[in-house]
Amino acid sequence: MLTIHGVTRSRASRIVWLCHEIGVPFRQVPVIQAYRLPDPFAADAPLNTRSPAFLKLSPAGAVPVIEDDGLVLSESMACTLYLARKYGPPFGPANPAEDGLMMQWTFHAVAGIETDALTLLFLHGSGNTLSGSDAAAVANAAERLVRPLRVVEDHLATHGHLVGGRFTVADINMAEVLRYAQGYHPLIERFPAILAWLADCQSRPAFRKMWQARLAEPE
Ligand SMILES: N[C@@H](CCC(=O)N[C@@H](CS)C(=O)NCC(=O)O)C(=O)O
């Protein structure tokens, strides 16, 4: 059976969401991020990204990692694209052209959006009043995000979905990254097609099931 290593309050959420969409059963090992623990090396610390047992599986010390039919795979987007290709349409590619487009949108999310979107989440989303340098970091991240989000906005406004006119792994990968910027209203409200599409994506039963599991985990 497919094993997902990583708590749902991590990028494992993308894989869990996709598995619920496809209907593929999985076992989840709740490896937690070391930085969320007071002492990840304590004898009674839960399995975490600095635990020797986990480092054997993932020398980079990051979740998620999956194991499937003897394959050990890290990098969350590699995991979702692998599973999408393995199980095929409707969530995966029907042909090499769709496969290329699914990779294109996934790389656009990871290379062009994720880092700055995480800055918005961690700094603005903390709810703290921002100091001068943090406020500047948020403003700069938001400014850099305008161009890549405009590309997504224009595509969604005319096509409704990212690939193939249907909901696919590309939507999951992009939606999970855009979720980090979703709470930063001065930016996201400039993109109505993205907002409407995100609402649709996040109202899907498979997303909700993943989200419930995430909320059930300790913060
Ligand atoms: N590019 C990687 C990033 C993996 C990553 O940074 N994971 C975080 C959690 S979402 C992590 O494990 N951090 C724990 C640590 O750095 O110790 C991916 O998409 O899988």
Side-chain angles (χ1 to χ4, degrees), residues 7 9-12 14-15 31-36 48-50 54 58 60-65 74-79 110 114 118 122 180:
V7 290
R9 286 182 187 267
S10 77
R11 290 174 174 88
R14 304 159 183 185
I15 306 168
V31 183
I32 190 168
Q33 296 93 331
Y35 66 78
R36 293 175 57 199
N48 68 78
T49 49
R50 293 296 169 271
F54 178 68
S58 168
V63 287
V65 174
S74 58
E75 287 298 331
S76 58
M77 298 305 200
C79 297
V110 173
E114 191 169 47
L118 280 170
F122 286 131
Y180 302 146

Side-chain angles (χ1 to χ4, degrees), residues 109-133:
V110 173
I113 299 175
E114 191 169 47
T115 303
D116 285 322
L118 280 170
T119 297
L120 298 186
L121 180 72
F122 286 131
L123 294 182
H124 175 265
S126 66
N128 297 331
T129 306
L130 295 182
S131 71
S133 63

